[in-house]
Amino acid sequence: MKKFNRLLIIFVFLLFQICTIRVYADVLADVVDCTVTVNGQKQILNNKTISINDRIYLPIRELGGILNLYISWDDNSKTINISDIGIKNSNEIGKQLDLKESKVSIKQVDFRVKINGYVRTLKNKIAVIDGVSYLPIREISEYFGIDINWDDESKIVMIEYKNDINNENTLLPFELNGLYGYMDTNGNIVIEPQYRDALPFSEGMAAVAGENGLYGYINTSGDIVIPYEYGQVDSYEKTVSNFSEGVAVVNGNMYIDKLGNKILGEYKYADDFHNGFAVVETIYGKFAYIDKEGKIKKEYDTEPSPFNYGYAITENNVIDTNFDCICSLDNYDTVDLNEGYITVSKNGMYGVIDTYGNVIIDFDYKYLSKFSGGLFAFRNDGDMGYIDLNNNVIIPEKYAYADIFIDNIALVMTSSGSEYVIDKSGNILSKLDSIKFYIEYPKGIIKIFSDDNEWFYLGQNGLAIRPNYIVDKK
């Protein structure tokens, strides 16, 4: 009987722990009368923003509307569900507040948060004011690849959405007789071939090479916005990049803004900005993260990874955007961080951990890919298939090779050597011939290069996108 009572007490205790929301002592937050813009357009807010430890918080209802996310509240499990796919739930969280003072008392709580169906551990606690839940805008936006910038002088939160590849105005580079132009996703020619090289559009601008072999930047109308004076065609060292978070790398080692102004100094090597920071190699041979003012935030002897969903790997440790070490990876042989989860191997077997080191999938696989599109490609004894974060087999082992999912499609090869595009149910969308390699473009577009030196784009419907002149020729 005593043993039964002990078990009952343990069960009740665990149940209490699962169902109870931890509430911390009240703290004071700053009420910030700031402006929020999306792609330069001012947004109308029903409630004021607040600042906790210099982090801007928005009411969850406002946050969902501004970031175009779908929000729901599960009262039974006390869970906030956030998604960028689905139907918006009418059970919205929050109400309109009347914040007149410069300070406000808030409660900090640990509600469960699910993002696209997966439980996420937020670095910053949820704030509650009179029943209204506030979330940190930068941390939530990072999960969905949305760029956030803060202008402290004018108190403006600037939100930038990247080009939507599913929009008919999205432009893709193509080549004809050695010159490059741009077409839309229907294959219609929008900007005639005239450039020696052309990069994809990003944030409304694209790098193109002129007759002098140097790069400039154009807008979606084909107008030259930044003159041809950077980089060099076919140069490995003097490269240029797309704009990322309002900044582009030119000459492989320096940054410019969208007006073409040189900013942040020069480095031995410079990478794109992600989550507000970029990896550079300094003139002293050290690797470092810099912010957009060029300030060195942290230095390392070896090159760290770019930030991905708010986390990065440095010298075998996981860090957050505060540059705090939150998890050691010393016990693992290989690591691959993507979309908030880390595929790791140990003693020749693969598993998955989260960014805090918690084991999500046990080390039961001979191979696991990085997490992408909500699934992992896996292999045990022979063929490959796909599992989800809950270790459920979504597509059984039936492929000789299975690539990662890019949004909702993946490239696979059967034992006979046939290559296909499949969806997440394993349905064949199209058949491919002799793929040499591919390049992933924004929003799920894939550029395929075949063994016979032909190329085409692949849309999320699994069908080819080619310039109309190619279609007509065929």
Side-chain angles (χ1 to χ4, degrees):
M1 178 62 75
K2 289 182 178 179
K3 182 177 181 181
F4 173 78
N5 288 339
R6 285 197 300 269
L7 291 173
L8 180 62
I9 290 170
I10 292 171
F11 173 76
V12 171
F13 173 78
L14 290 175
L15 184 64
F16 179 79
Q17 291 296 311
I18 292 171
C19 299
T20 300
I21 302 302
R22 182 175 296 178
V23 179
Y24 299 85
D26 290 6
V27 298
L28 286 178
D30 295 311
V31 178
V32 182
D33 192 11
C34 69
T35 300
V36 177
T37 65
V38 175
N39 292 342
Q41 299 297 312
K42 182 178 179 180
Q43 304 297 300
I44 298 175
L45 301 178
N46 292 321
N47 285 300
K48 292 182 178 179
T49 59
I50 62 172
S51 175
I52 306 171
N53 297 326
D54 296 325
R55 293 177 177 84
I56 297 297
Y57 284 64
L58 279 178
I60 193 167
R61 180 170 53 187
E62 314 277 348
L63 186 66
I66 288 174
L67 299 184
N68 197 27
L69 302 175
Y70 303 93
I71 309 292
S72 65
W73 168 250
D74 185 339
D75 194 53
N76 292 326
S77 61
K78 307 299 181 188
T79 300
I80 297 171
N81 295 294
I82 307 174
S83 175
D84 58 357
I85 54 176
I87 300 174
K88 188 172 182 180
N89 192 307
S90 60
N91 183 20
E92 294 180 325
I93 303 171
K95 61 184 179 182
Q96 190 163 358
L97 300 173
D98 185 19
L99 301 178
K100 295 180 179 179
E101 305 297 328
S102 61
K103 301 277 187 180
V104 62
S105 179
I106 65 167
K107 292 185 182 298
Q108 291 185 305
V109 300
D110 277 339
F111 289 137
R112 275 170 33 114
V113 176
K114 278 189 175 182
I115 296 180
N116 281 341
Y118 302 111
V119 176
R120 300 291 190 176
T121 302
L122 298 186
K123 294 175 287 186
N124 302 289
K125 295 179 179 65
I126 298 167
V128 178
I129 306 173
D130 194 18
V132 176
S133 296
Y134 276 71
L135 291 178
I137 184 170
R138 181 180 294 278
E139 183 171 2
I140 298 300
S141 68
E142 286 173 351
Y143 280 108
F144 298 98
I146 300 171
D147 296 331
I148 303 289
N149 292 292
W150 167 251
D151 186 332
D152 188 58
E153 183 176 350
S154 55
K155 306 300 181 189
I156 298 177
V157 177
M158 295 171 287
I159 301 170
E160 294 288 335
Y161 286 99
K162 296 179 181 178
N163 285 344
D164 184 358
I165 205 74
N166 298 311
N167 188 299
E168 63 180 3
N169 294 323
T170 296
L171 302 182
L172 302 170
F174 72 94
E175 182 264 340
L176 176 64
N177 298 328
L179 294 177
Y180 290 82
Y182 290 88
M183 65 180 183
D184 63 22
T185 52
N186 294 316
N188 300 314
I189 310 303
V190 177
I191 300 176
E192 293 292 333
Q194 57 191 284
Y195 310 110
R196 290 185 58 182
D197 190 21
L199 274 62
F201 272 89
S202 176
E203 299 181 7
M205 298 174 69
V208 294
E211 292 182 358
N212 62 358
L214 303 181
Y215 287 86
Y217 288 82
I218 61 172
N219 59 23
T220 53
S221 298
D223 303 321
I224 291 290
V225 179
I226 298 175
Y228 300 110
E229 55 186 40
Y230 297 110
Q232 179 66 54
V233 170
D234 299 327
S235 170
Y236 177 75
E237 294 181 348
K238 292 187 176 182
T239 57
V240 298
S241 77
N242 299 318
F243 273 91
S244 176
E245 300 185 12
V247 179
V249 178
V250 294
N251 298 338
N253 66 347
M254 59 181 290
Y255 295 93
I256 60 171
D257 62 20
K258 288 189 173 182
L259 297 176
N261 300 315
K262 300 176 184 179
I263 57 175
L264 306 184
E266 295 188 16
Y267 307 91
K268 282 188 175 180
Y269 163 80
D271 200 0
D272 293 331
F273 273 85
H274 300 277
N275 300 154
F277 303 101
V279 176
V280 299
E281 184 180 2
T282 69
I283 59 174
Y284 305 105
K286 289 276 192 178
F287 292 96
Y289 289 105
I290 61 169
D291 63 17
K292 290 188 178 176
E293 294 179 350
K295 295 179 180 176
I296 291 179
K297 308 301 291 186
K298 195 85 172 182
E299 284 189 329
Y300 302 92
D301 291 327
T302 57
E303 184 175 358
S305 75
F307 275 96
N308 180 290
Y309 282 66
Y311 299 97
I313 295 177
T314 63
E315 298 178 346
N316 231 26
N317 294 307
V318 180
I319 63 169
D320 59 20
T321 50
N322 295 321
F323 300 94
D324 295 327
C325 175
I326 59 175
C327 172
S328 171
L329 301 172
D330 285 339
N331 294 329
Y332 303 112
D333 301 322
T334 61
V335 296
D336 199 346
L337 168 66
N338 199 47
E339 298 183 11
Y341 292 93
I342 309 172
T343 300
V344 293
S345 68
K346 183 169 61 174
N347 300 324
M349 300 298 286
Y350 285 78
V352 178
I353 62 174
D354 65 16
T355 51
Y356 288 85
N358 302 307
V359 175
I360 305 300
I361 296 177
D362 286 329
F363 294 82
D364 296 330
Y365 296 94
K366 292 184 178 178
Y367 172 76
L368 277 177
S369 72
K370 68 180 180 181
F371 184 59
S372 183
L375 298 175
F376 301 89
F378 77 94
R379 184 193 300 276
N380 273 327
D381 294 324
D383 291 338
M384 297 183 68
Y386 294 91
I387 60 171
D388 64 14
L389 268 175
N390 296 316
N391 206 16
N392 298 315
V393 175
I394 304 302
I395 301 176
E397 302 162 88
K398 57 181 179 180
Y399 307 112
Y401 176 75
D403 212 326
I404 62 170
F405 268 88
I406 299 174
D407 286 0
N408 296 306
I409 60 174
L411 307 182
V412 297
M413 184 174 67
T414 65
S415 57
S416 65
S418 298
E419 298 166 316
Y420 298 97
V421 183
I422 63 168
D423 64 18
K424 289 183 179 177
S425 297
N427 300 314
I428 294 176
L429 302 180
S430 62
K431 188 177 186 301
L432 302 174
D433 294 316
S434 303
I435 299 174
K436 182 185 294 183
F437 66 94
Y438 70 83
I439 300 173
E440 183 179 347
Y441 274 58
K443 290 294 183 181
I445 289 288
I446 303 171
K447 188 173 185 180
I448 302 286
F449 294 84
S450 62
D451 286 338
D452 55 5
N453 293 321
E454 289 196 354
W455 64 267
F456 59 90
Y457 291 102
L458 197 64
Q460 281 292 300
N461 58 4
L463 302 179
I465 304 170
R466 292 183 172 91
N468 283 339
Y469 75 83
I470 295 179
V471 176
D472 293 340
K473 185 174 69 174
K474 291 189 174 184

